[in-house]
DNA sequence: TCAGTATATTGATATTTATCTATATATAAT
DNA sequence: ATTATATATAGATAAATATCAATATACTGA
């Protein structure tokens, strides 16, 4: 599966916040429940809930419910796909938009 | 140099737009002047100028002036640093925030 | 010097978003 | 049943931002 600009931008937008980057860093060690994640931050519980929703909407983070708790974890495969997308983007490949002679003279 | 969450988020925010992703894709083949970049888009010249400013403010893109023309190019080294930042973020490394026992029980 | 061209800046507007308080939901324990 | 706890949702607000039209700047060529 190859991401297009819109799909890529949606995921990147989800990462484009220092607090959400920190959440991803925290989850890189393994799954963690919301209340434990919240301890690392100064904002309120609904704000964390909002951030987790943003990360889940783009499938970078997943959730497992157990009793009262929600355990969050990274979807590493999708994280890797995003990084691959970025590496493709900055690399001069044959499929690059630049090679479309119909629109570009380069 | 290691990026922190704020620095990382600033760069990622600059990429968090489908049009700017396309600009980066276009520049991955080499430098190009603004008017040639603009041909790939439907928006106006001031809008492109705005997008280029955003990309330059976070040092992902550089500009070389020659007469009337502004030639833009990727700063590949900084692009790579961003990708490295993301790879570190999603990887369970020793420097991970999780290992800070003072705040986290994981 | 004047006209034309490439790009940047300004100011305005509509949309998005990060955050909060208040409240709802759902589960667990007594 | 009632109370407590973990999380989600709703609604409001302030800040950020993508875009445009209009204008400014700066260089080129006649």
């Amino acid at each position: 599966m190859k991401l297009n600009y819109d799909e890529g931008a949606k995921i990147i937008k989800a990462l484009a916040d220092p607090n959400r980057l920190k959440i991803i860093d925290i989850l890189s060690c393994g799954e963690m429940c919301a209340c434990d994640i919240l301890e690392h931050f100064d904002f309120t519980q609904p704000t964390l809930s909002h951030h987790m929703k943003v990360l889940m909407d783009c499938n970078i983070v997943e959730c497992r419910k157990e009793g009262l708790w929600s355990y969050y974890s990274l979807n590493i495969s999708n994280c890797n796909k995003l990084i691959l997308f970025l590496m493709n983007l900055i690399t001069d490949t044959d499929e690059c938009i630049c090679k479309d002679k119909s629109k570009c003279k380069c």
Side-chain angles (χ1 to χ4, degrees), chain A residues 15-61:
Chain A
L15 306 190
D17 178 279
N19 289 319
R20 288 199 291 267
L21 288 181
K22 188 171 166 183
I23 291 169
I24 289 171
D25 202 6
I26 290 169
L27 293 181
S28 70
C29 303
E31 72 173 13
M32 197 181 296
C33 75
C35 61
D36 283 347
I37 298 173
L38 188 58
E39 284 188 358
H40 290 86
F41 295 97
D42 291 329
F43 50 61
T44 63
Q45 175 269 318
T47 297
L48 177 65
S49 197
H50 159 73
H51 285 310
M52 299 318 293
K53 195 172 193 306
V54 172
L55 291 171
M56 289 181 61
D57 281 350
C58 71
N59 300 309
I60 283 297
V61 161

Side-chain angles (χ1 to χ4, degrees), chain A residues 84-97:
Chain A
L84 196 55
F85 170 75
L86 288 174
M87 293 179 80
N88 265 299
L89 207 69
I90 67 167
T91 304
D92 181 3
T93 61
D94 286 344
E95 312 101 67
C96 177
I97 188 174

Side-chain angles (χ1 to χ4, degrees), chain A residues 11 58-60 62 75-83:
Chain A
I11 303 174
C58 71
N59 300 309
I60 283 297
E62 283 162 352
N75 182 321
I76 289 291
S77 172
N78 284 340
C79 290
N80 286 334
K81 275 177 191 152
L82 173 67
I83 288 174

